[in-house]
Amino acid sequence: MTALQLVQGISNVLFVAIFVLVAIAAYRRRSRTAVDTALFFGALALAVLEGPVLQLLGIPVNAVSTAVAAILVMALPYLMLRLLADFADVPLLVQAATLGGFIASVIVVISGGIPLDPTATLFLIGYFVVVSLWGAFGFIRLARHSSGVTKRRTQAVAAGMGLLGVAVLVAAGSTLSSGLAAFSSGASQVLALLAAISWVLGFAPPAQLRRSWQEPELRAFLGRASTLPRLPTTAAILRQLERGAGESFGARAAIGLYDPDARALRFDNAHGALPADVPEHSRFLASRVFASQRAEFFPDAARAHPEHADAYRAAHVGPVLIAPITAGARRIGVLEAFAAHQPVFSTDDLALVQLLADQAAVVLESRTLIDEAARVRAQEQAAKLKEDFVSAAAHDLKTPITTLLGQAQILELRSAREPGLAQHQPAIGRIVREARRLSALVDDLLDASRIEEGKLEVRREPIDVGAVVRHVAERTRHDKERIVVETREQLTGSFDRRRIEQLVHNLVENGLKYSEEDSQVEVRAWRENALIHISVRDHGIGIPATDLPLVFERFHRAGNVDARRYAGIGLGLYICRGIAQEHGGRIWVESTVGHGSTFHVVLPDTGEGKLN
Ligand code: ADP
């Protein structure tokens, strides 16, 4: 076997192999592009196989077989143009002229007989070379407008077309000059082999090559991804993600974000075939992938979703790759890559689309966290402003309210003594009560801001906590009979008397406030090792479990509290916790809704407490 025969053999095997591959693909999914590709390579494979098959069967090459081979070869330019028309716009006039040229070639071959006269040969060669070069340029133009792997595949197909045209041109050299025959047939064989290799790369690139073609765009996309969460809007991030994904595939891409309120995937920038809102449980490919949470490849959108086929065709949506965008358990949406024509994607790309979707999930999740952080910061600033305002207002109110209360109390005393004022006594009494309430509220606000700033002062002195508890019960005059106090021993320790009184008072007042008027509130105080325990138990409305961890926070009121029935602003327990903590102790609550609550306070007895 000569080197030339080897080259010819290899290219023939490649042509046949490509035909088998594309024929299988066309059988699996009968799209126009797949069928046209199969027809092109079918004609090529038959043309190259005819000779060897006849030889194998022992049939000598004759005029008929040569004419059939010539017609098969002449069909190639026309089929090539059909293929180009599947991917790009080819003017109808050009398509018609090419078909006309093919028919003319068939007539020339049949009527002229083999061997053909030189004019006929020149016509056939001219037709072949012009159309295949036109086709090659068409594919080159197509490659210029595409990107990523598609660009390289289109370039390979263009190279194949061009090389075939040139191969025929060179082969023609042998018919024109017999001196060149050996060279030109060798060169054309090599060119044909290169054309075959180009087509393999274009139509069925090995997975590894495909990946290396995808790599630059993918790398660029992943490199940019870290900067994306800081773009000004989510819409801008989505556009960038779509662009990056599209470039990696050499196709277009769209992202649909899940909107739980609308129960739909929201596409701002989808291909025309999709509605802006794709219902969550629908036949749309995106919603199917969102439901299954598994990346899927649909070779033909129209076939996969026939009810919507017209819209896909109108929007030039052919093969579609879709992957779910998910962060942990949070289903964010889907990433869709789509193209007008095959063979742009394959099942190999499933892993890639999932990788891009995962990257999109990271970007979008980071964005959510950034937004959340900004929201928390804004909330903190607003809370700080409110705090500053409340504290400033409380400070300013303190003096006039103290004066008001003092004056009202003097009036109250006078009205008791002076008969002329007696008729005003009830009104004056009301003023005193309300002024006291206001004064207590301002005191609470001031205490709360002191605690917030860590400035609650504790003036320790030796006291008997039991006596303090009994004193509070005594002092709570209006409901004295509802309070049951149980303190057995002397509970001396070094504590701030006023603050411990305030703490017990707050708890007892709450116990009375949040229970029925005839139910009891039990206050106990006892010593356990070096700890002093105080508990305040009521049989009232209780606290819902979800509110339990929050009732000690500022301004928090439980969900079962009707503000019209129970007055309050949610500062008492916050102050109680501040006082307990300033004493090195702690406070907690056990409660069942409808059955009551028990507040516990433990204070470490430092051992310094000695009553005088
Ligand atoms: P306020 O009573 O002014 O609302 P507090 O800080 O004293 O504020 O209490 C915070 C919240 O805790 C109350 O609004 C109420 O929901 C709940 N709470 C406090 N004490 C009791 C109690 N004894 N029984 C039921 N709920 C209580």
Tab-separated table of all heavy atoms in Angstrom, residues 506-507 510-515 538 540-543 551-553 556-561 566-574 591 596-597 599, ligand 1:
chain	number	residue	atom	x	y	z
A	506	ASN	N	-41.399	44.688	89.534
A	506	ASN	CA	-41.772	44.482	88.125
A	506	ASN	C	-42.386	43.108	87.925
A	506	ASN	O	-43.401	42.955	87.232
A	506	ASN	CB	-40.539	44.590	87.218
A	506	ASN	CG	-40.220	46.039	86.878
A	506	ASN	OD1	-40.992	46.930	87.199
A	506	ASN	ND2	-39.078	46.264	86.247
A	507	LEU	N	-41.742	42.076	88.501
A	507	LEU	CA	-42.232	40.702	88.295
A	507	LEU	C	-43.606	40.520	88.942
A	507	LEU	O	-44.508	39.902	88.351
A	507	LEU	CB	-41.228	39.687	88.864
A	507	LEU	CG	-39.859	39.636	88.172
A	507	LEU	CD1	-38.970	38.569	88.802
A	507	LEU	CD2	-40.019	39.349	86.672
A	510	ASN	N	-46.258	42.330	86.941
A	510	ASN	CA	-46.606	41.559	85.728
A	510	ASN	C	-47.500	40.378	86.082
A	510	ASN	O	-48.477	40.100	85.385
A	510	ASN	CB	-45.335	41.020	85.056
A	510	ASN	CG	-44.719	42.042	84.117
A	510	ASN	OD1	-45.292	43.094	83.884
A	510	ASN	ND2	-43.537	41.732	83.583
A	511	GLY	N	-47.132	39.660	87.161
A	511	GLY	CA	-47.925	38.497	87.603
A	511	GLY	C	-49.374	38.906	87.832
A	511	GLY	O	-50.309	38.199	87.445
A	512	LEU	N	-49.556	40.053	88.467
A	512	LEU	CA	-50.923	40.525	88.751
A	512	LEU	C	-51.612	40.961	87.465
A	512	LEU	O	-52.777	40.648	87.228
A	512	LEU	CB	-50.864	41.718	89.721
A	512	LEU	CG	-50.338	41.419	91.133
A	512	LEU	CD1	-50.084	42.717	91.894
A	512	LEU	CD2	-51.333	40.543	91.907
A	513	LYS	N	-50.835	41.667	86.639
A	513	LYS	CA	-51.411	42.250	85.417
A	513	LYS	C	-51.868	41.172	84.431
A	513	LYS	O	-52.948	41.274	83.850
A	513	LYS	CB	-50.357	43.158	84.762
A	513	LYS	CG	-50.809	43.842	83.480
A	513	LYS	CD	-49.908	45.007	83.102
A	513	LYS	CE	-48.565	44.554	82.559
A	513	LYS	NZ	-47.731	45.679	82.084
A	514	TYR	N	-51.031	40.151	84.248
A	514	TYR	CA	-51.339	39.171	83.193
A	514	TYR	C	-52.113	37.963	83.721
A	514	TYR	O	-51.999	36.879	83.183
A	514	TYR	CB	-50.044	38.710	82.510
A	514	TYR	CG	-49.391	39.830	81.720
A	514	TYR	CD1	-48.190	40.380	82.133
A	514	TYR	CD2	-50.009	40.345	80.596
A	514	TYR	CE1	-47.601	41.421	81.426
A	514	TYR	CE2	-49.432	41.391	79.883
A	514	TYR	CZ	-48.223	41.930	80.303
A	514	TYR	OH	-47.656	42.965	79.606
A	515	SER	N	-52.898	38.151	84.824
A	515	SER	CA	-53.747	37.036	85.287
A	515	SER	C	-55.093	37.579	85.741
A	515	SER	O	-55.265	38.805	85.849
A	515	SER	CB	-53.039	36.252	86.388
A	515	SER	OG	-52.607	37.128	87.391
A	538	ASP	N	-47.457	32.993	88.695
A	538	ASP	CA	-48.873	33.365	88.568
A	538	ASP	C	-49.628	32.281	87.818
A	538	ASP	O	-49.027	31.319	87.345
A	538	ASP	CB	-48.984	34.733	87.844
A	538	ASP	CG	-48.520	34.654	86.397
A	538	ASP	OD1	-49.079	33.858	85.631
A	538	ASP	OD2	-47.555	35.395	86.025
A	540	GLY	N	-51.809	32.983	85.223
A	540	GLY	CA	-52.453	33.836	84.222
A	540	GLY	C	-52.381	33.319	82.794
A	540	GLY	O	-52.380	32.100	82.548
A	541	ILE	N	-52.247	34.254	81.889
A	541	ILE	CA	-52.387	33.917	80.458
A	541	ILE	C	-51.178	33.141	79.906
A	541	ILE	O	-51.250	32.493	78.874
A	541	ILE	CB	-52.594	35.187	79.594
A	541	ILE	CG1	-51.383	36.138	79.703
A	541	ILE	CG2	-53.868	35.903	79.978
A	541	ILE	CD1	-51.423	37.294	78.707
A	542	GLY	N	-50.042	33.192	80.594
A	542	GLY	CA	-48.852	32.467	80.127
A	542	GLY	C	-48.217	33.139	78.917
A	542	GLY	O	-48.714	34.161	78.412
A	543	ILE	N	-47.107	32.525	78.480
A	543	ILE	CA	-46.349	33.109	77.360
A	543	ILE	C	-46.161	32.036	76.282
A	543	ILE	O	-45.705	30.936	76.596
A	543	ILE	CB	-44.961	33.599	77.845
A	543	ILE	CG1	-45.143	34.649	78.953
A	543	ILE	CG2	-44.138	34.173	76.700
A	543	ILE	CD1	-43.856	35.038	79.653
A	551	VAL	N	-38.983	37.564	75.478
A	551	VAL	CA	-39.673	38.501	76.384
A	551	VAL	C	-38.717	39.389	77.172
A	551	VAL	O	-39.116	40.441	77.656
A	551	VAL	CB	-40.634	37.770	77.363
A	551	VAL	CG1	-41.884	37.315	76.655
A	551	VAL	CG2	-39.929	36.644	78.078
A	552	PHE	N	-37.445	38.981	77.253
A	552	PHE	CA	-36.499	39.829	77.991
A	552	PHE	C	-35.848	40.883	77.088
A	552	PHE	O	-35.009	41.643	77.529
A	552	PHE	CB	-35.403	38.968	78.645
A	552	PHE	CG	-35.951	38.056	79.711
A	552	PHE	CD1	-36.192	36.720	79.448
A	552	PHE	CD2	-36.265	38.565	80.971
A	552	PHE	CE1	-36.725	35.895	80.420
A	552	PHE	CE2	-36.799	37.743	81.959
A	552	PHE	CZ	-37.036	36.405	81.678
A	553	GLU	N	-36.251	40.866	75.797
A	553	GLU	CA	-35.697	41.873	74.885
A	553	GLU	C	-36.508	43.162	74.992
A	553	GLU	O	-37.703	43.126	75.320
A	553	GLU	CB	-35.746	41.371	73.435
A	553	GLU	CG	-34.930	40.123	73.170
A	553	GLU	CD	-33.466	40.279	73.562
A	553	GLU	OE1	-32.946	41.401	73.423
A	553	GLU	OE2	-32.870	39.294	74.039
A	556	HIS	N	-40.274	44.041	73.511
A	556	HIS	CA	-40.969	42.853	72.985
A	556	HIS	C	-42.175	42.539	73.857
A	556	HIS	O	-42.078	42.394	75.067
A	556	HIS	CB	-40.039	41.650	72.935
A	556	HIS	CG	-40.717	40.472	72.280
A	556	HIS	ND1	-40.713	40.279	70.923
A	556	HIS	CD2	-41.499	39.503	72.800
A	556	HIS	CE1	-41.435	39.224	70.628
A	556	HIS	NE2	-41.928	38.726	71.749
A	557	ARG	N	-43.310	42.378	73.184
A	557	ARG	CA	-44.514	41.942	73.883
A	557	ARG	C	-45.003	40.675	73.203
A	557	ARG	O	-44.972	40.567	71.976
A	557	ARG	CB	-45.602	43.021	73.829
A	557	ARG	CG	-45.108	44.383	74.309
A	557	ARG	CD	-46.251	45.273	74.725
A	557	ARG	NE	-46.798	44.893	76.010
A	557	ARG	CZ	-48.012	45.248	76.447
A	557	ARG	NH1	-48.794	45.961	75.671
A	557	ARG	NH2	-48.446	44.871	77.630
A	558	ALA	N	-45.435	39.702	74.017
A	558	ALA	CA	-45.798	38.396	73.445
A	558	ALA	C	-47.033	38.517	72.560
A	558	ALA	O	-47.835	39.451	72.700
A	558	ALA	CB	-46.038	37.404	74.563
A	559	GLY	N	-47.166	37.527	71.657
A	559	GLY	CA	-48.256	37.549	70.674
A	559	GLY	C	-49.634	37.423	71.313
A	559	GLY	O	-50.631	37.847	70.731
A	560	ASN	N	-49.725	36.844	72.537
A	560	ASN	CA	-51.053	36.636	73.147
A	560	ASN	C	-51.492	37.837	73.995
A	560	ASN	O	-52.469	37.764	74.721
A	560	ASN	CB	-51.038	35.361	73.999
A	560	ASN	CG	-50.040	35.458	75.140
A	560	ASN	OD1	-49.073	36.231	75.064
A	560	ASN	ND2	-50.257	34.690	76.201
A	561	VAL	N	-50.736	38.943	73.912
A	561	VAL	CA	-51.076	40.108	74.725
A	561	VAL	C	-51.870	41.104	73.884
A	561	VAL	O	-51.407	41.554	72.847
A	561	VAL	CB	-49.785	40.767	75.267
A	561	VAL	CG1	-50.095	42.147	75.808
A	561	VAL	CG2	-49.184	39.909	76.351
A	566	TYR	N	-54.000	45.051	78.155
A	566	TYR	CA	-52.867	45.064	79.078
A	566	TYR	C	-51.938	46.217	78.709
A	566	TYR	O	-51.270	46.166	77.668
A	566	TYR	CB	-52.063	43.757	78.970
A	566	TYR	CG	-52.892	42.515	79.235
A	566	TYR	CD1	-53.315	41.698	78.190
A	566	TYR	CD2	-53.225	42.152	80.542
A	566	TYR	CE1	-54.061	40.563	78.419
A	566	TYR	CE2	-53.980	41.014	80.784
A	566	TYR	CZ	-54.399	40.224	79.718
A	566	TYR	OH	-55.140	39.101	79.958
A	567	ALA	N	-51.902	47.241	79.550
A	567	ALA	CA	-51.020	48.383	79.264
A	567	ALA	C	-49.567	47.964	79.430
A	567	ALA	O	-49.252	47.057	80.198
A	567	ALA	CB	-51.337	49.517	80.225
A	568	GLY	N	-48.695	48.607	78.705
A	568	GLY	CA	-47.271	48.285	78.855
A	568	GLY	C	-46.517	48.562	77.565
A	568	GLY	O	-47.125	48.680	76.500
A	569	ILE	N	-45.197	48.687	77.691
A	569	ILE	CA	-44.413	48.913	76.467
A	569	ILE	C	-43.273	47.914	76.300
A	569	ILE	O	-42.452	48.041	75.387
A	569	ILE	CB	-43.842	50.360	76.405
A	569	ILE	CG1	-42.997	50.648	77.647
A	569	ILE	CG2	-44.926	51.382	76.214
A	569	ILE	CD1	-42.180	51.918	77.500
A	570	GLY	N	-43.201	46.944	77.183
A	570	GLY	CA	-42.197	45.886	76.990
A	570	GLY	C	-40.797	46.250	77.453
A	570	GLY	O	-39.817	45.838	76.843
A	571	LEU	N	-40.707	47.022	78.555
A	571	LEU	CA	-39.367	47.361	79.061
A	571	LEU	C	-39.075	46.694	80.406
A	571	LEU	O	-37.916	46.513	80.774
A	571	LEU	CB	-39.229	48.872	79.229
A	571	LEU	CG	-38.916	49.668	77.976
A	571	LEU	CD1	-38.772	51.136	78.308
A	571	LEU	CD2	-37.624	49.159	77.329
A	572	GLY	N	-40.155	46.319	81.139
A	572	GLY	CA	-39.984	45.815	82.512
A	572	GLY	C	-39.009	44.649	82.600
A	572	GLY	O	-38.057	44.675	83.389
A	573	LEU	N	-39.228	43.613	81.786
A	573	LEU	CA	-38.379	42.418	81.881
A	573	LEU	C	-36.956	42.709	81.417
A	573	LEU	O	-36.006	42.120	81.912
A	573	LEU	CB	-38.971	41.263	81.050
A	573	LEU	CG	-40.275	40.670	81.607
A	573	LEU	CD1	-40.741	39.518	80.725
A	573	LEU	CD2	-40.084	40.193	83.040
A	574	TYR	N	-36.838	43.617	80.457
A	574	TYR	CA	-35.491	43.995	79.981
A	574	TYR	C	-34.706	44.605	81.148
A	574	TYR	O	-33.542	44.275	81.374
A	574	TYR	CB	-35.639	44.999	78.840
A	574	TYR	CG	-34.332	45.521	78.307
A	574	TYR	CD1	-33.468	44.684	77.611
A	574	TYR	CD2	-33.957	46.849	78.512
A	574	TYR	CE1	-32.253	45.170	77.121
A	574	TYR	CE2	-32.756	47.333	78.021
A	574	TYR	CZ	-31.908	46.491	77.320
A	574	TYR	OH	-30.723	46.961	76.844
A	591	SER	N	-43.156	28.788	81.347
A	591	SER	CA	-44.538	29.216	81.185
A	591	SER	C	-45.316	28.291	80.255
A	591	SER	O	-44.747	27.692	79.348
A	591	SER	CB	-44.559	30.636	80.619
A	591	SER	OG	-45.879	31.082	80.520
A	596	GLY	N	-50.202	29.827	83.181
A	596	GLY	CA	-49.430	30.724	84.035
A	596	GLY	C	-47.938	30.678	83.779
A	596	GLY	O	-47.463	29.908	82.940
A	597	SER	N	-47.233	31.531	84.522
A	597	SER	CA	-45.797	31.655	84.316
A	597	SER	C	-45.090	31.681	85.664
A	597	SER	O	-45.650	32.134	86.659
A	597	SER	CB	-45.461	32.958	83.606
A	597	SER	OG	-46.369	33.205	82.566
A	599	PHE	N	-41.422	33.118	86.968
A	599	PHE	CA	-40.143	33.790	86.714
A	599	PHE	C	-39.191	33.428	87.837
A	599	PHE	O	-39.569	33.402	89.001
A	599	PHE	CB	-40.347	35.314	86.653
A	599	PHE	CG	-40.971	35.758	85.362
A	599	PHE	CD1	-42.356	35.745	85.199
A	599	PHE	CD2	-40.182	36.174	84.302
A	599	PHE	CE1	-42.925	36.128	83.999
A	599	PHE	CE2	-40.745	36.569	83.097
A	599	PHE	CZ	-42.121	36.538	82.939
B	1	ADP	P1	-44.870	44.975	79.472
B	1	ADP	O1	-45.546	44.215	80.555
B	1	ADP	O2	-44.844	46.433	79.677
B	1	ADP	O3	-45.367	44.607	78.119
B	1	ADP	P2	-42.482	43.495	80.205
B	1	ADP	O4	-41.068	43.696	79.753
B	1	ADP	O5	-42.716	43.502	81.651
B	1	ADP	O6	-43.320	44.555	79.421
B	1	ADP	O7	-42.939	42.120	79.622
B	1	ADP	C1	-42.686	41.804	78.297
B	1	ADP	C2	-43.752	40.852	77.768
B	1	ADP	O8	-43.611	39.575	78.418
B	1	ADP	C3	-45.158	41.268	78.079
B	1	ADP	O9	-45.640	42.158	77.096
B	1	ADP	C4	-45.892	39.972	78.074
B	1	ADP	O10	-46.151	39.569	76.758
B	1	ADP	C5	-44.870	38.994	78.640
B	1	ADP	N1	-45.062	38.785	80.075
B	1	ADP	C6	-44.321	39.310	81.070
B	1	ADP	N2	-44.740	38.837	82.250
B	1	ADP	C7	-45.752	38.000	82.009
B	1	ADP	C8	-46.607	37.194	82.850
B	1	ADP	N3	-46.477	37.168	84.153
B	1	ADP	N4	-47.554	36.444	82.222
B	1	ADP	C9	-47.684	36.454	80.897
B	1	ADP	N5	-46.914	37.207	80.047
B	1	ADP	C10	-45.963	37.961	80.603
